[in-house]
Amino acid sequence: MNRKIAVIVGSLRKDSFNRKLAKALIAAAPAGLDFSFVEIGDLPFFNQDLEAAPPASWTRFRNELKAADAVLFVTAEYNRSVPGVLKNAIDVGSRPYGQSVFNGKPAAVLSSSMGAIGGFGANHHLRQSLAFLNMPTLPNEAYIGAAHTLFDDAGALTNDGTRQFLGQFATAFAAWIEANAPARAA
Ligand code: FNR
């Protein structure tokens, strides 16, 4: 049975390089992985008071995560950290207390930016949250710099080295999921 992977992109921009990279990773991934994007742009800021009647988008987001075996984060870096919209999504998914939709799910983190260090700061700040969320996180590092040079006008990846890297990263994630995801009934 294929593994279901929720893909969360830490950028809302229509032409986001991170979203393009996520699509390129999916195209380069081995068989056996079903990816679906889980959108985060419509989630109201987390406020515990709203739990009395949770916004429909919170419930939609939580249900989509619950249905996934693993989570792939592909994120931009804002001011050397995680974009606020992604941090908010993590906060929404982590509550109510004791009902986190992230608990125990294997994760992988890919970051990219137009700069030279490829979102290293966001990548590692995100890893700090994933440790708290009890998500076994693929140790492989993936920082994609100069993201604006990697795509053609139609948004397709033009760099073969990056394509190869993304394929290897996805293959490593597939093995990581099998090693770390809870066993499933056949
Ligand atoms: C940035 N950018 C950026 N780049 C970087 O390498 N390190 C950083 O700390 C920041 N900080 C930052 C803050 C804010 C508010 C913005 C809007 C941008 C530039 C960033 O890498 C660039 O906008 C990317 O294009 C963002 O990724 P997406 O949206 O293309 O996926």
Side-chain angles (χ1 to χ4, degrees):
M1 197 195 294
N2 284 3
R3 290 291 190 180
K4 292 189 181 122
I5 303 181
V7 182
I8 299 181
V9 177
S11 168
L12 301 184
R13 213 164 64 83
K14 178 169 52 71
D15 293 323
S16 163
F17 298 121
N18 284 280
R19 187 170 289 268
K20 291 174 188 170
L21 266 179
K23 289 179 179 167
L25 183 150
I26 292 167
L33 304 177
D34 290 339
F35 294 90
S36 37
F37 286 88
V38 177
E39 300 304 333
I40 62 174
D42 60 343
L43 303 175
F45 283 134
F46 183 76
N47 174 346
Q48 198 166 330
D49 296 343
L50 301 184
E51 293 291 9
S57 60
W58 284 15
T59 304
R60 187 268 309 156
F61 176 76
R62 288 166 173 168
N63 285 341
E64 288 179 18
L65 264 296
K66 276 183 206 161
D69 294 307
V71 186
L72 170 67
F73 295 90
V74 185
T75 189
E77 174 177 85
Y78 284 179
N79 301 304
R80 291 282 183 260
S81 189
V82 178
V85 69
L86 175 55
K87 182 59 168 58
N88 183 56
I90 288 170
D91 295 342
V92 168
S94 71
R95 294 283 153 153
Y97 182 78
Q99 297 175 45
S100 167
V101 296
F102 298 114
N103 186 35
K105 294 195 175 173
V109 180
L110 175 69
S111 59
S112 83
S113 80
M114 298 196 290
I117 57 176
F120 174 91
N123 192 306
H124 281 260
H125 280 184
L126 178 55
R127 285 172 180 276
Q128 178 170 317
S129 292
L130 302 189
F132 180 72
L133 292 169
N134 186 36
M135 301 184 84
T137 302
L138 180 70
N140 301 41
E141 297 184 298
Y143 320 111
I144 310 287
H148 56 297
T149 68
L150 302 176
F151 302 93
D152 65 19
D153 289 345
L157 184 67
T158 56
N159 186 297
D160 286 337
T162 303
R163 191 185 336 280
Q164 196 179 2
F165 175 81
L166 293 174
Q168 289 166 349
F169 187 81
T171 300
F173 190 31
W176 182 256
I177 293 167
E178 292 316 312
N180 291 282
R184 292 181 314 182

